[in-house]
Amino acid sequence: MSADTADSPLTAHSLAPAPVEVPTLPKYAIGVDVGGTGTKGGIVNLTKGKLSGDRFRIPTPRPATPDAVAAVIEEIVDELMSRPKAPSPEDLAVGVLFPGIVIDNVVHSAANIDHAWIGCNTEDLLSSLPGKLRVLNDADGAGLAEARYGAGAGASGTVLTITLGTGIGSALIHDGVLVPNSELGHLEFDGDIAEKKASAAARERADMSWEEYGALLGRYLKYVERLHSPSLFIIGGGISKRSQEFLPYVKGLRADVVPAALVNNAGIVGAALFAAEQKALAER
């Protein structure tokens, strides 16, 4: 084992249909999170589930076309690879989170980014990046990080992370295995798409009080609970920093409901973890 590789204290699993143990992961990997307003990245210590050094952020281009965003991602990775604790190129795994459905590195939806992304093969687009690349839905990455290192660490059964922002993202994880692209923000709820009713942006548009919003969110989570029977809901997104304002009004659920622990860094951490696991599995 090289100096850049260390045994992880976590029980790592594949994101394939059946859990497969990954005996070792590299100590460091790079994660990049593409958002509507900003794209940010960092070097992640996979043993601790934390960033090693500061994250690096660049505004997401307008319009956010594939070529324009690819240039930003490349700039971020170049800057991170220039740092002293950067992984060696031969051990490097780079994970990128994207706000859309991603299957085998191909983008299949673009609700909050330029529609030119639909059908884009990100592996081809980002072929100039060093290391092994993997691309994942943004909520899936954040949820994976929370399940392994954050509010869901050690939890068994089904853990659902719900991210509340401009829309509603979701990550469905069972016994450490991610079921990608759950897209529970697109369920029908109260006669409309759920994220148009229960997202953080919807609360602001409707000028709801925190009590009103908590009650509404509780009804949405109860609906999701009937479909997936999770043992734990983790509430993420920027609004989770104010969870004490609305979570007390989320009532009537069997599952526990807790705020996310990693907050703004969850996406970067999850992207890096996903890429490192997939690289390790491919090399078994």
Side-chain angles (χ1 to χ4, degrees):
M1 185 167 60
S2 72
D4 289 329
T5 307
D7 290 326
S8 170
L10 305 170
T11 301
H13 296 280
S14 125
L15 302 184
V20 179
E21 271 196 20
V22 179
T24 58
L25 291 177
K27 185 174 182 181
Y28 298 109
I30 285 177
V32 179
D33 188 358
V34 178
T37 58
T39 298
K40 52 189 182 292
I43 298 172
V44 177
N45 182 321
L46 295 174
T47 303
K48 298 179 180 179
K50 295 181 179 180
L51 265 61
S52 176
D54 294 334
R55 64 182 185 176
F56 183 56
R57 182 186 185 278
I58 298 175
T60 299
R62 297 286 186 181
T65 60
D67 286 341
V69 174
V72 167
I73 293 171
E74 290 173 9
E75 184 177 348
I76 289 172
V77 172
D78 284 347
E79 199 281 338
L80 296 173
M81 286 297 291
S82 71
R83 297 182 180 183
K85 287 190 176 181
S88 61
E90 58 270 19
D91 292 331
L92 178 63
V94 178
V96 176
L97 297 191
F98 184 81
I101 294 171
V102 181
I103 303 173
D104 295 329
N105 289 329
V106 176
V107 177
H108 291 272
S109 72
N112 296 308
I113 203 164
D114 198 280
H115 282 195
W117 280 94
I118 297 175
C120 177
N121 187 318
T122 58
E123 195 166 21
D124 292 341
L125 179 71
L126 300 171
S127 60
S128 64
L129 291 182
K132 181 65 177 178
L133 173 74
R134 295 295 297 183
V135 179
L136 185 67
N137 170 267
D138 55 355
D140 283 337
L144 182 64
E146 286 291 341
R148 298 287 182 80
Y149 301 108
S156 60
T158 300
V159 175
L160 263 171
T161 295
I162 303 293
T163 59
L164 304 170
T166 304
I168 294 178
S170 62
L172 174 63
I173 295 174
H174 181 75
D175 287 346
V177 180
L178 173 67
V179 181
N181 301 307
S182 54
E183 294 289 308
L184 298 180
H186 290 254
L187 291 171
E188 183 178 343
F189 175 69
D190 279 2
D192 208 337
I193 297 172
E195 65 182 16
K196 292 185 178 180
K197 293 284 188 176
S199 65
R203 184 196 76 84
E204 294 178 356
R205 286 195 302 269
D207 196 25
M208 279 184 267
S209 69
W210 289 112
E211 182 174 359
E212 290 171 325
Y213 182 63
L216 175 67
L217 182 62
R219 288 197 296 108
Y220 167 67
L221 295 179
K222 197 167 185 178
Y223 176 42
V224 172
E225 184 178 62
R226 288 199 300 270
L227 296 174
H228 293 286
S229 302
S231 56
L232 177 67
F233 280 108
I234 300 172
I235 305 302
I239 199 173
S240 65
K241 291 183 288 187
R242 302 194 65 178
S243 60
Q244 73 280 1
E245 304 273 9
F246 61 90
L247 283 190
Y249 304 109
V250 175
K251 300 176 181 179
L253 285 92
R254 177 191 51 79
D256 292 330
V257 184
V258 299
L262 302 179
V263 196
N264 290 335
N265 290 333
I268 296 173
V269 171
L273 173 63
F274 177 72
E277 281 194 346
Q278 294 301 297
K279 182 177 184 294
L281 287 169
E283 294 172 351
R284 283 174 67 96

